[in-house]
Amino acid sequence: LLEPIAHPQAPPEPRYARAKILLGMNLVQPVDGDPFKCKFTFTQQVDPGGAIPAWVMNRFISREAVQFFDRIARAARRHGG
């Protein structure tokens, strides 16, 4: 499960709204019959804060999820996956 944390190098800035993760999950499951594959489920519920329309936030989150999976795949290839 994902949960928000405070990071000392990125304190809240009063001039900006900061999105909050309310609930999230990354679930990795094996694929039956193929030891070299897995099913990855990623979900999160976010409060964007401020005045960001939901459609903007949804578009951003969708794009970020794809980039996240690309980074995971590149890391796996670098480490012999």
Side-chain angles (χ1 to χ4, degrees):
L1 294 177
L2 303 175
E3 63 181 45
I5 62 165
H7 194 288
Q9 294 179 349
E13 171 60 52
R15 297 179 296 164
Y16 303 105
R18 179 172 282 189
K20 295 177 180 80
I21 296 174
L22 303 174
L23 183 64
M25 175 191 72
N26 293 335
L27 177 64
V28 181
Q29 298 171 288
V31 172
D32 288 338
D34 193 338
F36 298 103
K37 290 187 178 181
C38 65
K39 177 181 175 184
F40 194 103
T41 304
F42 171 84
T43 184
Q44 59 180 273
Q45 182 181 15
V46 177
D47 175 2
I52 300 172
W55 69 269
V56 172
M57 196 67 184
N58 289 337
R59 176 164 278 167
F60 172 76
I61 288 173
S62 297
R63 190 176 322 144
E64 181 60 31
V66 171
Q67 292 171 354
F68 174 77
F69 291 118
D70 286 343
R71 290 190 298 266
I72 293 287
R74 282 196 305 268
R77 284 190 293 272
R78 279 194 311 269
H79 296 285

